Amino acid sequence: MFLTDPALRRIAADTNDVLPEHLWRHDTATLDPIGDLARVLHKTARAFTDSTTSLDQALTRVGVLADTARQGLAARADLHMAGYHQTLTDALTARERHTVLGTGLVTAYRAWRNHRPIGDGDQRHLLLRRSDPSRGVATLRLKDPHTWLVVPDAEAATAFGIPYPDRMVGEVTEADQGWTPTAYTDPQHLHIEAGMAYPLPVCDDPASACRSLLRWWHLRHSDAWHSRTPAQLTPAELAHLAS
């Protein structure tokens, strides 16, 4: 699953760049301006990750305090929360530090990224929903100059309710009119006439085309499918696929 690292997740949410690792680490040993930026970014990323853990712990303590207070209120119709001032103060302090580090992380990343182009090559990663890592990541693998195979990660499979984590769900093809998704789970299905590959409506961009594939498979495995092809779906269903 992509974006389990807090720093990479925050960077993706703010910039839509999905990185498989801390790519800037490869520059930290160089003695030039890019190396300086990479070292600042690396230090900030580590501090942000530590801050994420600290904030999670502080919020957990607040949650425990709230649960205890609710139990006391239910039992005695009274409210006594020993140490709640310090617990809440610790949480607010952790939040403030996390906010500052998050802003610094993204600023440092943008500075490094401005001087370090990252080529997609034959593989690229994109958020299925812009600025929302919780909807997961699709990996696109180049099939030919205009067509990419699509593989959703486990978070995407869960978010869209499909049984295909880290497995190919089809392809998206770029053309003059937009991006055309074709759903299939085996390349051989493209050569079978018995409806094993499903052409879907044209989409505006690669992310919406990838979402269309996942939404099709969600429908395909639901009680609403009724053995229909995409051509037999209602206008509302087709619009939902392409949104």
Side-chain angles (χ1 to χ4, degrees), residues 119-155:
D120 290 326
D122 292 343
Q123 182 167 282
R124 59 191 292 198
H125 311 289
L126 57 83
L127 293 180
L128 283 160
R129 179 66 70 182
R130 186 174 181 82
S131 301
D132 184 3
S134 70
R135 303 296 287 175
V137 172
T139 296
L140 276 61
R141 296 172 181 158
L142 191 64
K143 176 183 177 184
D144 60 49
H146 301 287
T147 300
W148 300 76
L149 303 177
V150 178
V151 179
D153 72 348
E155 192 165 16

PDB file of all heavy atoms in Angstrom, residues 119-155:
ATOM      1  N   GLY A 119      11.181  12.116 -13.398  1.00  0.00           N
ATOM      2  CA  GLY A 119      10.574  11.554 -14.595  1.00  0.00           C
ATOM      3  C   GLY A 119       9.704  10.351 -14.268  1.00  0.00           C
ATOM      4  O   GLY A 119      10.034   9.557 -13.386  1.00  0.00           O
ATOM      5  N   ASP A 120       8.582  10.225 -14.986  1.00  0.00           N
ATOM      6  CA  ASP A 120       7.686   9.086 -14.755  1.00  0.00           C
ATOM      7  C   ASP A 120       8.245   7.792 -15.340  1.00  0.00           C
ATOM      8  O   ASP A 120       8.021   6.707 -14.805  1.00  0.00           O
ATOM      9  CB  ASP A 120       6.309   9.368 -15.370  1.00  0.00           C
ATOM     10  CG  ASP A 120       5.553  10.447 -14.610  1.00  0.00           C
ATOM     11  OD1 ASP A 120       5.720  10.503 -13.382  1.00  0.00           O
ATOM     12  OD2 ASP A 120       4.827  11.210 -15.238  1.00  0.00           O
ATOM     13  N   GLY A 121       8.956   7.887 -16.452  1.00  0.00           N
ATOM     14  CA  GLY A 121       9.441   6.684 -17.101  1.00  0.00           C
ATOM     15  C   GLY A 121       8.292   5.810 -17.566  1.00  0.00           C
ATOM     16  O   GLY A 121       7.282   6.297 -18.078  1.00  0.00           O
ATOM     17  N   ASP A 122       8.432   4.514 -17.371  1.00  0.00           N
ATOM     18  CA  ASP A 122       7.397   3.567 -17.784  1.00  0.00           C
ATOM     19  C   ASP A 122       6.370   3.312 -16.688  1.00  0.00           C
ATOM     20  O   ASP A 122       5.490   2.465 -16.850  1.00  0.00           O
ATOM     21  CB  ASP A 122       8.034   2.234 -18.193  1.00  0.00           C
ATOM     22  CG  ASP A 122       8.856   2.355 -19.474  1.00  0.00           C
ATOM     23  OD1 ASP A 122       8.670   3.352 -20.198  1.00  0.00           O
ATOM     24  OD2 ASP A 122       9.678   1.462 -19.734  1.00  0.00           O
ATOM     25  N   GLN A 123       6.487   4.008 -15.575  1.00  0.00           N
ATOM     26  CA  GLN A 123       5.562   3.800 -14.465  1.00  0.00           C
ATOM     27  C   GLN A 123       5.322   5.122 -13.746  1.00  0.00           C
ATOM     28  O   GLN A 123       6.240   5.905 -13.541  1.00  0.00           O
ATOM     29  CB  GLN A 123       6.123   2.759 -13.491  1.00  0.00           C
ATOM     30  CG  GLN A 123       5.223   2.430 -12.318  1.00  0.00           C
ATOM     31  CD  GLN A 123       5.668   1.188 -11.575  1.00  0.00           C
ATOM     32  OE1 GLN A 123       5.429   0.073 -12.033  1.00  0.00           O
ATOM     33  NE2 GLN A 123       6.317   1.354 -10.440  1.00  0.00           N
ATOM     34  N   ARG A 124       4.084   5.350 -13.373  1.00  0.00           N
ATOM     35  CA  ARG A 124       3.721   6.554 -12.637  1.00  0.00           C
ATOM     36  C   ARG A 124       2.686   6.201 -11.586  1.00  0.00           C
ATOM     37  O   ARG A 124       2.015   5.168 -11.677  1.00  0.00           O
ATOM     38  CB  ARG A 124       3.182   7.634 -13.588  1.00  0.00           C
ATOM     39  CG  ARG A 124       1.953   7.203 -14.368  1.00  0.00           C
ATOM     40  CD  ARG A 124       1.577   8.163 -15.477  1.00  0.00           C
ATOM     41  NE  ARG A 124       1.100   9.436 -14.983  1.00  0.00           N
ATOM     42  CZ  ARG A 124       0.390  10.298 -15.721  1.00  0.00           C
ATOM     43  NH1 ARG A 124       0.108  10.005 -16.991  1.00  0.00           N
ATOM     44  NH2 ARG A 124      -0.022  11.432 -15.214  1.00  0.00           N
ATOM     45  N   HIS A 125       2.560   7.060 -10.573  1.00  0.00           N
ATOM     46  CA  HIS A 125       1.597   6.845  -9.497  1.00  0.00           C
ATOM     47  C   HIS A 125       0.746   8.103  -9.357  1.00  0.00           C
ATOM     48  O   HIS A 125       1.270   9.224  -9.450  1.00  0.00           O
ATOM     49  CB  HIS A 125       2.319   6.564  -8.178  1.00  0.00           C
ATOM     50  CG  HIS A 125       3.384   5.515  -8.270  1.00  0.00           C
ATOM     51  ND1 HIS A 125       3.090   4.185  -8.443  1.00  0.00           N
ATOM     52  CD2 HIS A 125       4.740   5.621  -8.252  1.00  0.00           C
ATOM     53  CE1 HIS A 125       4.228   3.511  -8.502  1.00  0.00           C
ATOM     54  NE2 HIS A 125       5.238   4.359  -8.393  1.00  0.00           N
ATOM     55  N   LEU A 126      -0.534   7.924  -9.138  1.00  0.00           N
ATOM     56  CA  LEU A 126      -1.402   9.095  -8.966  1.00  0.00           C
ATOM     57  C   LEU A 126      -2.486   8.832  -7.939  1.00  0.00           C
ATOM     58  O   LEU A 126      -2.927   7.693  -7.749  1.00  0.00           O
ATOM     59  CB  LEU A 126      -2.012   9.520 -10.306  1.00  0.00           C
ATOM     60  CG  LEU A 126      -2.832   8.538 -11.135  1.00  0.00           C
ATOM     61  CD1 LEU A 126      -4.278   8.474 -10.640  1.00  0.00           C
ATOM     62  CD2 LEU A 126      -2.820   8.955 -12.598  1.00  0.00           C
ATOM     63  N   LEU A 127      -2.881   9.907  -7.270  1.00  0.00           N
ATOM     64  CA  LEU A 127      -4.000   9.827  -6.336  1.00  0.00           C
ATOM     65  C   LEU A 127      -5.284   9.618  -7.120  1.00  0.00           C
ATOM     66  O   LEU A 127      -5.521  10.288  -8.132  1.00  0.00           O
ATOM     67  CB  LEU A 127      -4.113  11.107  -5.519  1.00  0.00           C
ATOM     68  CG  LEU A 127      -2.990  11.429  -4.521  1.00  0.00           C
ATOM     69  CD1 LEU A 127      -3.305  12.751  -3.822  1.00  0.00           C
ATOM     70  CD2 LEU A 127      -2.822  10.321  -3.512  1.00  0.00           C
ATOM     71  N   LEU A 128      -6.132   8.718  -6.651  1.00  0.00           N
ATOM     72  CA  LEU A 128      -7.402   8.499  -7.327  1.00  0.00           C
ATOM     73  C   LEU A 128      -8.371   9.652  -7.098  1.00  0.00           C
ATOM     74  O   LEU A 128      -9.278   9.871  -7.896  1.00  0.00           O
ATOM     75  CB  LEU A 128      -8.009   7.180  -6.873  1.00  0.00           C
ATOM     76  CG  LEU A 128      -7.334   5.977  -7.539  1.00  0.00           C
ATOM     77  CD1 LEU A 128      -7.587   4.704  -6.762  1.00  0.00           C
ATOM     78  CD2 LEU A 128      -7.802   5.830  -8.976  1.00  0.00           C
ATOM     79  N   ARG A 129      -8.167  10.385  -6.021  1.00  0.00           N
ATOM     80  CA  ARG A 129      -8.954  11.593  -5.774  1.00  0.00           C
ATOM     81  C   ARG A 129      -7.974  12.698  -5.393  1.00  0.00           C
ATOM     82  O   ARG A 129      -7.220  12.552  -4.444  1.00  0.00           O
ATOM     83  CB  ARG A 129      -9.971  11.381  -4.650  1.00  0.00           C
ATOM     84  CG  ARG A 129     -10.801  12.610  -4.316  1.00  0.00           C
ATOM     85  CD  ARG A 129     -11.706  13.021  -5.446  1.00  0.00           C
ATOM     86  NE  ARG A 129     -12.793  12.088  -5.673  1.00  0.00           N
ATOM     87  CZ  ARG A 129     -13.704  12.210  -6.627  1.00  0.00           C
ATOM     88  NH1 ARG A 129     -13.640  13.257  -7.458  1.00  0.00           N
ATOM     89  NH2 ARG A 129     -14.649  11.306  -6.785  1.00  0.00           N
ATOM     90  N   ARG A 130      -7.979  13.776  -6.143  1.00  0.00           N
ATOM     91  CA  ARG A 130      -7.015  14.852  -5.940  1.00  0.00           C
ATOM     92  C   ARG A 130      -7.025  15.340  -4.497  1.00  0.00           C
ATOM     93  O   ARG A 130      -8.086  15.572  -3.907  1.00  0.00           O
ATOM     94  CB  ARG A 130      -7.345  16.018  -6.892  1.00  0.00           C
ATOM     95  CG  ARG A 130      -6.324  17.147  -6.865  1.00  0.00           C
ATOM     96  CD  ARG A 130      -6.633  18.180  -7.927  1.00  0.00           C
ATOM     97  NE  ARG A 130      -5.670  19.265  -7.936  1.00  0.00           N
ATOM     98  CZ  ARG A 130      -4.489  19.219  -8.537  1.00  0.00           C
ATOM     99  NH1 ARG A 130      -4.144  18.125  -9.192  1.00  0.00           N
ATOM    100  NH2 ARG A 130      -3.661  20.234  -8.492  1.00  0.00           N
ATOM    101  N   SER A 131      -5.845  15.457  -3.917  1.00  0.00           N
ATOM    102  CA  SER A 131      -5.637  15.981  -2.559  1.00  0.00           C
ATOM    103  C   SER A 131      -6.267  15.117  -1.478  1.00  0.00           C
ATOM    104  O   SER A 131      -6.443  15.582  -0.348  1.00  0.00           O
ATOM    105  CB  SER A 131      -6.165  17.429  -2.442  1.00  0.00           C
ATOM    106  OG  SER A 131      -5.510  18.270  -3.365  1.00  0.00           O
ATOM    107  N   ASP A 132      -6.586  13.862  -1.796  1.00  0.00           N
ATOM    108  CA  ASP A 132      -7.230  12.983  -0.818  1.00  0.00           C
ATOM    109  C   ASP A 132      -6.570  11.605  -0.838  1.00  0.00           C
ATOM    110  O   ASP A 132      -7.045  10.692  -1.518  1.00  0.00           O
ATOM    111  CB  ASP A 132      -8.723  12.865  -1.120  1.00  0.00           C
ATOM    112  CG  ASP A 132      -9.458  12.046  -0.065  1.00  0.00           C
ATOM    113  OD1 ASP A 132      -8.825  11.621   0.919  1.00  0.00           O
ATOM    114  OD2 ASP A 132     -10.673  11.818  -0.229  1.00  0.00           O
ATOM    115  N   PRO A 133      -5.475  11.415  -0.092  1.00  0.00           N
ATOM    116  CA  PRO A 133      -4.804  10.115  -0.082  1.00  0.00           C
ATOM    117  C   PRO A 133      -5.670   8.966   0.438  1.00  0.00           C
ATOM    118  O   PRO A 133      -5.370   7.806   0.164  1.00  0.00           O
ATOM    119  CB  PRO A 133      -3.602  10.352   0.844  1.00  0.00           C
ATOM    120  CG  PRO A 133      -3.348  11.821   0.779  1.00  0.00           C
ATOM    121  CD  PRO A 133      -4.716  12.441   0.652  1.00  0.00           C
ATOM    122  N   SER A 134      -6.737   9.279   1.177  1.00  0.00           N
ATOM    123  CA  SER A 134      -7.570   8.216   1.741  1.00  0.00           C
ATOM    124  C   SER A 134      -8.295   7.405   0.667  1.00  0.00           C
ATOM    125  O   SER A 134      -8.787   6.312   0.939  1.00  0.00           O
ATOM    126  CB  SER A 134      -8.599   8.799   2.714  1.00  0.00           C
ATOM    127  OG  SER A 134      -9.595   9.536   2.028  1.00  0.00           O
ATOM    128  N   ARG A 135      -8.373   7.923  -0.560  1.00  0.00           N
ATOM    129  CA  ARG A 135      -9.010   7.185  -1.655  1.00  0.00           C
ATOM    130  C   ARG A 135      -8.032   6.285  -2.388  1.00  0.00           C
ATOM    131  O   ARG A 135      -8.417   5.561  -3.310  1.00  0.00           O
ATOM    132  CB  ARG A 135      -9.654   8.160  -2.645  1.00  0.00           C
ATOM    133  CG  ARG A 135     -10.664   9.093  -2.020  1.00  0.00           C
ATOM    134  CD  ARG A 135     -11.854   8.362  -1.454  1.00  0.00           C
ATOM    135  NE  ARG A 135     -12.726   7.850  -2.499  1.00  0.00           N
ATOM    136  CZ  ARG A 135     -13.793   7.076  -2.283  1.00  0.00           C
ATOM    137  NH1 ARG A 135     -14.089   6.710  -1.049  1.00  0.00           N
ATOM    138  NH2 ARG A 135     -14.546   6.669  -3.283  1.00  0.00           N
ATOM    139  N   GLY A 136      -6.781   6.301  -1.953  1.00  0.00           N
ATOM    140  CA  GLY A 136      -5.818   5.368  -2.496  1.00  0.00           C
ATOM    141  C   GLY A 136      -5.056   5.876  -3.704  1.00  0.00           C
ATOM    142  O   GLY A 136      -5.263   6.986  -4.187  1.00  0.00           O
ATOM    143  N   VAL A 137      -4.173   5.004  -4.190  1.00  0.00           N
ATOM    144  CA  VAL A 137      -3.254   5.328  -5.276  1.00  0.00           C
ATOM    145  C   VAL A 137      -3.389   4.295  -6.387  1.00  0.00           C
ATOM    146  O   VAL A 137      -3.545   3.099  -6.128  1.00  0.00           O
ATOM    147  CB  VAL A 137      -1.802   5.346  -4.767  1.00  0.00           C
ATOM    148  CG1 VAL A 137      -0.804   5.484  -5.914  1.00  0.00           C
ATOM    149  CG2 VAL A 137      -1.609   6.460  -3.751  1.00  0.00           C
ATOM    150  N   ALA A 138      -3.333   4.767  -7.623  1.00  0.00           N
ATOM    151  CA  ALA A 138      -3.278   3.879  -8.784  1.00  0.00           C
ATOM    152  C   ALA A 138      -1.871   3.937  -9.378  1.00  0.00           C
ATOM    153  O   ALA A 138      -1.317   5.021  -9.555  1.00  0.00           O
ATOM    154  CB  ALA A 138      -4.307   4.271  -9.837  1.00  0.00           C
ATOM    155  N   THR A 139      -1.314   2.768  -9.660  1.00  0.00           N
ATOM    156  CA  THR A 139      -0.043   2.692 -10.375  1.00  0.00           C
ATOM    157  C   THR A 139      -0.351   2.463 -11.849  1.00  0.00           C
ATOM    158  O   THR A 139      -1.090   1.546 -12.194  1.00  0.00           O
ATOM    159  CB  THR A 139       0.824   1.556  -9.832  1.00  0.00           C
ATOM    160  OG1 THR A 139       1.167   1.840  -8.472  1.00  0.00           O
ATOM    161  CG2 THR A 139       2.110   1.410 -10.644  1.00  0.00           C
ATOM    162  N   LEU A 140       0.220   3.306 -12.702  1.00  0.00           N
ATOM    163  CA  LEU A 140       0.029   3.188 -14.151  1.00  0.00           C
ATOM    164  C   LEU A 140       1.325   2.685 -14.773  1.00  0.00           C
ATOM    165  O   LEU A 140       2.388   3.281 -14.567  1.00  0.00           O
ATOM    166  CB  LEU A 140      -0.356   4.535 -14.766  1.00  0.00           C
ATOM    167  CG  LEU A 140      -1.838   4.928 -14.715  1.00  0.00           C
ATOM    168  CD1 LEU A 140      -2.343   5.025 -13.286  1.00  0.00           C
ATOM    169  CD2 LEU A 140      -2.072   6.252 -15.430  1.00  0.00           C
ATOM    170  N   ARG A 141       1.223   1.591 -15.505  1.00  0.00           N
ATOM    171  CA  ARG A 141       2.385   0.990 -16.152  1.00  0.00           C
ATOM    172  C   ARG A 141       2.202   1.066 -17.657  1.00  0.00           C
ATOM    173  O   ARG A 141       1.170   0.639 -18.191  1.00  0.00           O
ATOM    174  CB  ARG A 141       2.547  -0.466 -15.701  1.00  0.00           C
ATOM    175  CG  ARG A 141       2.837  -0.585 -14.210  1.00  0.00           C
ATOM    176  CD  ARG A 141       2.800  -2.003 -13.706  1.00  0.00           C
ATOM    177  NE  ARG A 141       3.072  -2.039 -12.265  1.00  0.00           N
ATOM    178  CZ  ARG A 141       2.718  -3.031 -11.457  1.00  0.00           C
ATOM    179  NH1 ARG A 141       2.079  -4.086 -11.954  1.00  0.00           N
ATOM    180  NH2 ARG A 141       3.000  -2.977 -10.168  1.00  0.00           N
ATOM    181  N   LEU A 142       3.205   1.620 -18.316  1.00  0.00           N
ATOM    182  CA  LEU A 142       3.101   1.882 -19.748  1.00  0.00           C
ATOM    183  C   LEU A 142       2.971   0.584 -20.539  1.00  0.00           C
ATOM    184  O   LEU A 142       3.785  -0.327 -20.417  1.00  0.00           O
ATOM    185  CB  LEU A 142       4.335   2.653 -20.223  1.00  0.00           C
ATOM    186  CG  LEU A 142       4.268   3.228 -21.631  1.00  0.00           C
ATOM    187  CD1 LEU A 142       3.174   4.292 -21.723  1.00  0.00           C
ATOM    188  CD2 LEU A 142       5.623   3.831 -22.016  1.00  0.00           C
ATOM    189  N   LYS A 143       1.920   0.525 -21.356  1.00  0.00           N
ATOM    190  CA  LYS A 143       1.695  -0.621 -22.227  1.00  0.00           C
ATOM    191  C   LYS A 143       2.146  -0.305 -23.652  1.00  0.00           C
ATOM    192  O   LYS A 143       2.785  -1.115 -24.316  1.00  0.00           O
ATOM    193  CB  LYS A 143       0.206  -0.992 -22.211  1.00  0.00           C
ATOM    194  CG  LYS A 143      -0.169  -2.127 -23.151  1.00  0.00           C
ATOM    195  CD  LYS A 143      -1.673  -2.365 -23.125  1.00  0.00           C
ATOM    196  CE  LYS A 143      -2.091  -3.441 -24.109  1.00  0.00           C
ATOM    197  NZ  LYS A 143      -3.574  -3.601 -24.153  1.00  0.00           N
ATOM    198  N   ASP A 144       1.773   0.874 -24.138  1.00  0.00           N
ATOM    199  CA  ASP A 144       2.245   1.381 -25.423  1.00  0.00           C
ATOM    200  C   ASP A 144       2.259   2.907 -25.308  1.00  0.00           C
ATOM    201  O   ASP A 144       1.900   3.436 -24.244  1.00  0.00           O
ATOM    202  CB  ASP A 144       1.362   0.885 -26.583  1.00  0.00           C
ATOM    203  CG  ASP A 144      -0.094   1.306 -26.469  1.00  0.00           C
ATOM    204  OD1 ASP A 144      -0.357   2.511 -26.235  1.00  0.00           O
ATOM    205  OD2 ASP A 144      -0.981   0.455 -26.621  1.00  0.00           O
ATOM    206  N   PRO A 145       2.688   3.650 -26.328  1.00  0.00           N
ATOM    207  CA  PRO A 145       2.872   5.100 -26.157  1.00  0.00           C
ATOM    208  C   PRO A 145       1.666   5.869 -25.627  1.00  0.00           C
ATOM    209  O   PRO A 145       1.832   6.954 -25.065  1.00  0.00           O
ATOM    210  CB  PRO A 145       3.252   5.562 -27.569  1.00  0.00           C
ATOM    211  CG  PRO A 145       3.946   4.382 -28.163  1.00  0.00           C
ATOM    212  CD  PRO A 145       3.207   3.188 -27.630  1.00  0.00           C
ATOM    213  N   HIS A 146       0.450   5.341 -25.764  1.00  0.00           N
ATOM    214  CA  HIS A 146      -0.728   6.083 -25.327  1.00  0.00           C
ATOM    215  C   HIS A 146      -1.595   5.312 -24.331  1.00  0.00           C
ATOM    216  O   HIS A 146      -2.662   5.803 -23.943  1.00  0.00           O
ATOM    217  CB  HIS A 146      -1.580   6.467 -26.541  1.00  0.00           C
ATOM    218  CG  HIS A 146      -0.851   7.317 -27.538  1.00  0.00           C
ATOM    219  ND1 HIS A 146      -0.547   8.640 -27.308  1.00  0.00           N
ATOM    220  CD2 HIS A 146      -0.343   7.023 -28.761  1.00  0.00           C
ATOM    221  CE1 HIS A 146       0.101   9.136 -28.340  1.00  0.00           C
ATOM    222  NE2 HIS A 146       0.245   8.180 -29.240  1.00  0.00           N
ATOM    223  N   THR A 147      -1.165   4.135 -23.916  1.00  0.00           N
ATOM    224  CA  THR A 147      -1.995   3.287 -23.060  1.00  0.00           C
ATOM    225  C   THR A 147      -1.217   2.842 -21.823  1.00  0.00           C
ATOM    226  O   THR A 147      -0.052   2.454 -21.913  1.00  0.00           O
ATOM    227  CB  THR A 147      -2.481   2.046 -23.821  1.00  0.00           C
ATOM    228  OG1 THR A 147      -3.263   2.466 -24.950  1.00  0.00           O
ATOM    229  CG2 THR A 147      -3.350   1.166 -22.940  1.00  0.00           C
ATOM    230  N   TRP A 148      -1.925   2.917 -20.672  1.00  0.00           N
ATOM    231  CA  TRP A 148      -1.314   2.534 -19.398  1.00  0.00           C
ATOM    232  C   TRP A 148      -2.171   1.465 -18.718  1.00  0.00           C
ATOM    233  O   TRP A 148      -3.401   1.585 -18.677  1.00  0.00           O
ATOM    234  CB  TRP A 148      -1.220   3.742 -18.465  1.00  0.00           C
ATOM    235  CG  TRP A 148      -0.411   4.883 -18.994  1.00  0.00           C
ATOM    236  CD1 TRP A 148      -0.789   5.785 -19.948  1.00  0.00           C
ATOM    237  CD2 TRP A 148       0.920   5.236 -18.607  1.00  0.00           C
ATOM    238  NE1 TRP A 148       0.219   6.686 -20.171  1.00  0.00           N
ATOM    239  CE2 TRP A 148       1.284   6.381 -19.356  1.00  0.00           C
ATOM    240  CE3 TRP A 148       1.836   4.718 -17.694  1.00  0.00           C
ATOM    241  CZ2 TRP A 148       2.523   7.000 -19.215  1.00  0.00           C
ATOM    242  CZ3 TRP A 148       3.061   5.341 -17.551  1.00  0.00           C
ATOM    243  CH2 TRP A 148       3.396   6.460 -18.308  1.00  0.00           C
ATOM    244  N   LEU A 149      -1.533   0.424 -18.199  1.00  0.00           N
ATOM    245  CA  LEU A 149      -2.212  -0.560 -17.363  1.00  0.00           C
ATOM    246  C   LEU A 149      -2.396   0.024 -15.964  1.00  0.00           C
ATOM    247  O   LEU A 149      -1.535   0.744 -15.466  1.00  0.00           O
ATOM    248  CB  LEU A 149      -1.401  -1.848 -17.290  1.00  0.00           C
ATOM    249  CG  LEU A 149      -1.080  -2.520 -18.629  1.00  0.00           C
ATOM    250  CD1 LEU A 149      -0.203  -3.749 -18.407  1.00  0.00           C
ATOM    251  CD2 LEU A 149      -2.348  -2.897 -19.379  1.00  0.00           C
ATOM    252  N   VAL A 150      -3.508  -0.298 -15.323  1.00  0.00           N
ATOM    253  CA  VAL A 150      -3.862   0.329 -14.042  1.00  0.00           C
ATOM    254  C   VAL A 150      -3.907  -0.713 -12.929  1.00  0.00           C
ATOM    255  O   VAL A 150      -4.595  -1.744 -13.056  1.00  0.00           O
ATOM    256  CB  VAL A 150      -5.236   1.030 -14.140  1.00  0.00           C
ATOM    257  CG1 VAL A 150      -5.618   1.643 -12.794  1.00  0.00           C
ATOM    258  CG2 VAL A 150      -5.203   2.091 -15.232  1.00  0.00           C
ATOM    259  N   VAL A 151      -3.171  -0.439 -11.849  1.00  0.00           N
ATOM    260  CA  VAL A 151      -3.142  -1.321 -10.681  1.00  0.00           C
ATOM    261  C   VAL A 151      -3.443  -0.491  -9.436  1.00  0.00           C
ATOM    262  O   VAL A 151      -2.643   0.378  -9.061  1.00  0.00           O
ATOM    263  CB  VAL A 151      -1.769  -2.009 -10.529  1.00  0.00           C
ATOM    264  CG1 VAL A 151      -1.755  -2.901  -9.289  1.00  0.00           C
ATOM    265  CG2 VAL A 151      -1.424  -2.824 -11.775  1.00  0.00           C
ATOM    266  N   PRO A 152      -4.585  -0.704  -8.771  1.00  0.00           N
ATOM    267  CA  PRO A 152      -4.887   0.034  -7.541  1.00  0.00           C
ATOM    268  C   PRO A 152      -4.174  -0.584  -6.345  1.00  0.00           C
ATOM    269  O   PRO A 152      -3.990  -1.804  -6.283  1.00  0.00           O
ATOM    270  CB  PRO A 152      -6.404  -0.123  -7.406  1.00  0.00           C
ATOM    271  CG  PRO A 152      -6.689  -1.452  -8.042  1.00  0.00           C
ATOM    272  CD  PRO A 152      -5.686  -1.599  -9.164  1.00  0.00           C
ATOM    273  N   ASP A 153      -3.775   0.247  -5.383  1.00  0.00           N
ATOM    274  CA  ASP A 153      -3.181  -0.306  -4.166  1.00  0.00           C
ATOM    275  C   ASP A 153      -4.284  -0.772  -3.222  1.00  0.00           C
ATOM    276  O   ASP A 153      -5.489  -0.653  -3.524  1.00  0.00           O
ATOM    277  CB  ASP A 153      -2.246   0.709  -3.512  1.00  0.00           C
ATOM    278  CG  ASP A 153      -2.966   1.890  -2.853  1.00  0.00           C
ATOM    279  OD1 ASP A 153      -4.181   2.053  -3.083  1.00  0.00           O
ATOM    280  OD2 ASP A 153      -2.305   2.649  -2.127  1.00  0.00           O
ATOM    281  N   ALA A 154      -3.885  -1.320  -2.079  1.00  0.00           N
ATOM    282  CA  ALA A 154      -4.864  -1.896  -1.151  1.00  0.00           C
ATOM    283  C   ALA A 154      -5.814  -0.835  -0.609  1.00  0.00           C
ATOM    284  O   ALA A 154      -7.010  -1.091  -0.409  1.00  0.00           O
ATOM    285  CB  ALA A 154      -4.141  -2.601   0.000  1.00  0.00           C
ATOM    286  N   GLU A 155      -5.319   0.377  -0.361  1.00  0.00           N
ATOM    287  CA  GLU A 155      -6.179   1.446   0.155  1.00  0.00           C
ATOM    288  C   GLU A 155      -7.239   1.840  -0.869  1.00  0.00           C
ATOM    289  O   GLU A 155      -8.398   2.089  -0.524  1.00  0.00           O
ATOM    290  CB  GLU A 155      -5.336   2.660   0.540  1.00  0.00           C
ATOM    291  CG  GLU A 155      -6.085   3.695   1.338  1.00  0.00           C
ATOM    292  CD  GLU A 155      -5.189   4.705   2.012  1.00  0.00           C
ATOM    293  OE1 GLU A 155      -4.001   4.805   1.644  1.00  0.00           O
ATOM    294  OE2 GLU A 155      -5.658   5.399   2.929  1.00  0.00           O
TER     295      GLU A 155
END
